[in-house]
Amino acid sequence: MSLIWAPLFPQELADQLLQKMVTKGMLNDTTVGIFRNSEKLRLRSASIRYCKVSAMAFRLALCPHRLLELDASWVPGGLTGADVISGLASNPDCRASLQMLALNGLSLNLESPEEDSGVFIGFSSLQGLKTIHLVNTDLTDDVLEDICTLPRLETLDISCSSVTELNALLKCKNTLRSLIAHRLYRLDTTPVRLLFIFTQLHALRHLDISYNHFANDDSERRTNGDETVRQLLEAGPQILPSLVSLDISGRKTIDDSALRGFVESRSGLVFLGLLATGLSSSPVLSSHENLKVTGEANEKQLWEALRRYRERECFVKEALIHLYHLTTDTDKPQPDMLKLVVEDMRSHPESPHVHLLATACVFNLTTRDLAEVMPVRLMSATVTQLLHAMETFPNIQQVQSNCLMALCNDYLLQNVPFDRYSAAMLVIKWLSNHEEPTLQRIAVAIISILVAKISVEETALLSNDISFMKQLLTVVQHKAMLGLVDPTLKFALSALWNLTDETPTAARNFIECQGLELYMEVLESYYSETAIQQKVLGLLNNIAEVEELQPDLMDEDLLEHILSLLQDSQMLVEVRYFAGGILAQLASREEAWTLDQELRSTILEQLHKSIMTWPHLEQEMVSYRSFRPFCSLLQTYQPSGVQLWAVWAIHLVCRQNASYYIHMLTKEGLMELLKALDTHPDTHSDVKRVSQSILRMVQEQQSPCEVTNSQTEPGKS
């Protein structure tokens, strides 16, 4: 891609545009082309971490800019350190301007500095460099020699690289302020020599010689490193006098006395890395309140560890293990800690160990009411990351379990913005492969809420996948065969009810999957269970609203059973209401009625008679996405029983949520139908009375509130 025309972007805006494209996963060989217009989109700080950008695209799009910083870490697809350096060196401006370069995770392909078309190619070609990050690279001793000749080098990170000795550091002893040398697994230098090199680094303020305590590296190299640390701690402040920050995390053989002597002799110390050393509870630390420490003694130390070690899987795992134990049964909101956990999950997208521990910590940090006091943006990112974990690790049962338990939070599912459609598909996919009762209940509960919250269009998309319907019906059938009345059955019935709401495709799939036969059995076998009856009849209402599916309900046994529910004065109004709705829809179309006419007459008579006995309800019983299914019932030619059921239903929901439903009445044109009923001479007085009550409510709502998307109906439960 390229820009035919562009305004002159403010420089900071060009950087932000690139970063946003990276964050959204949009940067690649095609889209990076817009930055070839280096006169109008002027980059200074560029990051292409994890983006698939080839050497050619990199050279054409990014190298013409006068860059100050470049992060090309973990770029897949063959871009090498040599490609980056030669590309940047081809721009004279970059050779002088570039101050920070990160090539973590790349193959440097720089066995030794080379000549390329007369231009010297190596790190030393970029004379402005102050900061270099080369974590997890094939860095060689020769290339390190080249790097250390840079005149302004201040920060060098060579962690997990393949260098074998550090003598080259003596070349930059007067400028190097920060050396990060975590887990140099091929380092072959004696403790005495290492200590000598460190003592020559006169400007050094931060030294990181931590180690991966999980690694099975050469025990002699590990021992040499531990001995170097011990000697450094005991050497006194005359060695590395400027040092204010030391990281020895993972060094398990250091004793408390060496640490105590070091801390007490360094009054200017501001940071100590002690995670996985066994030293983070040392009494000497309590007397230095301003000293930042990574460790496992308390949540403050763990927070520091998760923040500092985001790129180091070994330390992230260690910190998460301790965080999980510290936050079990916590009742204290910790949004900062949760944010770090989520960021660490992002930093290790393919690590099952990190996600196993992190998802457990997410559950601890958001369970009960904790999620409600967290920032909504943070909770949205958290849910998205949980869904990523479910999708990435489908075969790791504990990750799936942790994610489902964390997601089964009513506040999260109802109020936090995220891709509910994809989440529903993901959870139903999980459900089709697992039958563990507790997790099945959780999964069905999640699906039930998600289906209620997605749009009609998304519900229709879900309905296109008939396996979604089949899976939920399988749950209902299994529970019904056992005669169980448990939360799983209720959640599955609610999900099916919501799935078929104003979605003809879903209603048709329900019938094709023999759902009607199953529901007729459930109606009879769960006659005394009000909650079950209500959900079953609610779904049958949805089918009855679809004209082309009404013939499928024309079953005399079924309708007589529903009529008996309507007439049963001992039955709760919640059940009689939905029974009436089915009968009203079917009896409203005389031309489509295929059963005995006497049955229809009885239904119409009993509808009117039953509704007149229903009490006013205070609690919410039903909610509607629209009033469209009521339009045909409100026509002036309809029998009074049909009209009465419709106006009673509208009156009920308008009284309980006036602003939302009165807006819907006006928007969907039902006001005209109600007014017509009120003025028509043949309208029954009972129907007129309820219609007039609705019209008065509308008048009292002088300026109907505009509803937002967040006010969509909550669905059936």
Side-chain angles (χ1 to χ4, degrees), residues 109-122:
N109 201 24
L110 284 169
E111 294 186 6
S112 60
E114 299 175 358
E115 293 283 340
D116 182 12
S117 303
V119 179
F120 181 72
I121 300 302

Side-chain angles (χ1 to χ4, degrees), residues 457-501:
E457 293 75 19
E458 288 173 323
T459 306
L461 279 176
L462 278 183
S463 305
N464 290 334
D465 187 348
I466 200 167
S467 64
F468 200 104
M469 179 72 67
K470 285 181 177 177
Q471 191 57 49
L472 290 171
L473 285 172
T474 299
V475 174
V476 173
Q477 185 176 37
H478 175 70
K479 297 295 180 181
M481 285 174 60
L482 299 174
L484 296 175
V485 181
D486 64 6
T488 306
L489 173 61
K490 293 178 181 179
F491 286 133
L493 292 172
S494 293
L496 287 162
W497 184 5
N498 284 301
L499 188 62
T500 54
D501 189 13

Side-chain angles (χ1 to χ4, degrees), residues 376-536:
V376 173
R377 186 185 293 269
L378 172 59
M379 293 314 305
S380 180
T382 302
V383 173
T384 300
Q385 210 56 44
L386 289 172
L387 296 173
H388 167 81
M390 284 193 71
E391 191 170 17
T392 307
F393 307 104
N395 299 319
I396 302 180
Q397 179 68 13
Q398 194 57 54
V399 171
Q400 300 290 314
S401 174
N402 293 345
C403 291
L404 287 170
M405 289 192 296
L407 287 169
C408 194
N409 180 308
D410 196 62
Y411 171 78
L412 283 185
L413 297 173
Q414 296 275 12
N415 301 292
V416 173
F418 63 95
D419 187 349
R420 288 178 171 81
Y421 169 78
S422 296
M425 291 298 294
L426 194 59
V427 178
I428 201 74
K429 183 179 179 181
W430 180 92
L431 189 63
S432 65
N433 296 313
H434 300 83
E435 294 183 356
E436 198 279 317
T438 301
L439 291 180
Q440 185 187 64
R441 174 181 58 79
I442 291 172
V444 175
I446 292 170
I447 292 166
S448 174
I449 297 175
L450 290 176
V451 172
K453 294 296 291 182
I454 62 178
S455 67
V456 175
E457 293 75 19
E458 288 173 323
T459 306
L461 279 176
L462 278 183
S463 305
N464 290 334
D465 187 348
I466 200 167
S467 64
F468 200 104
M469 179 72 67
K470 285 181 177 177
Q471 191 57 49
L472 290 171
L473 285 172
T474 299
V475 174
V476 173
Q477 185 176 37
H478 175 70
K479 297 295 180 181
M481 285 174 60
L482 299 174
L484 296 175
V485 181
D486 64 6
T488 306
L489 173 61
K490 293 178 181 179
F491 286 133
L493 292 172
S494 293
L496 287 162
W497 184 5
N498 284 301
L499 188 62
T500 54
D501 189 13
E502 292 199 34
T503 313
T505 304
R508 195 174 296 109
N509 286 346
F510 176 84
I511 293 170
E512 290 178 5
C513 293
Q514 284 74 54
L516 271 179
E517 292 83 349
L518 174 60
Y519 268 42
M520 288 171 68
E521 293 175 13
V522 172
L523 272 178
E524 293 178 5
S525 56
Y526 288 90
Y527 189 88
S528 60
E529 295 293 337
T530 301
I532 303 297
Q533 294 278 320
Q534 182 178 343
K535 297 174 194 301
V536 170

Side-chain angles (χ1 to χ4, degrees), residues 130-134 144 147-148 152-159 169 172-182 198 201-209 240 242-247 271 308 312:
K130 293 182 178 180
T131 300
I132 300 177
H133 296 279
L134 300 172
L144 182 61
I147 290 170
C148 291
R152 304 170 66 189
L153 186 64
E154 295 181 357
T155 299
L156 180 61
D157 187 348
I158 55 174
S159 300
L169 296 176
C172 54
K173 63 182 182 181
N174 294 321
T175 62
L176 193 64
R177 296 164 60 86
S178 174
L179 174 63
I180 307 166
H182 165 73
F198 291 152
L201 304 179
H202 305 305
L204 201 67
R205 294 176 59 80
H206 171 66
L207 176 61
D208 181 343
I209 44 176
L240 296 177
S242 301
L243 199 69
V244 296
S245 169
L246 177 66
D247 198 331
F271 169 71
R308 287 180 179 262
R312 297 182 187 173

Side-chain angles (χ1 to χ4, degrees), residues 533-534 537-538 540-542 544-545 559 561-568 571-588 593 603-604 606-611 614 621 624 630 633 640-646 648-649:
Q533 294 278 320
Q534 182 178 343
L537 293 170
L540 296 180
N541 256 281
N542 292 340
E545 290 171 0
L559 295 193
H561 182 85
I562 294 173
L563 179 59
S564 70
L565 294 174
L566 174 73
Q567 294 172 303
D568 188 347
M571 192 66 69
L572 291 178
V573 174
E574 288 86 343
V575 174
R576 299 171 77 188
Y577 170 83
F578 289 109
I582 298 165
L583 298 174
Q585 288 286 354
L586 296 177
S588 69
W593 186 265
I603 286 172
L604 291 171
Q606 292 301 314
L607 258 178
H608 197 128
K609 182 179 178 181
S610 177
I611 294 168
W614 295 354
M621 180 182 69
Y624 291 101
F630 289 80
L633 308 184
S640 65
V642 171
Q643 295 170 338
L644 187 58
W645 183 87
W648 195 94

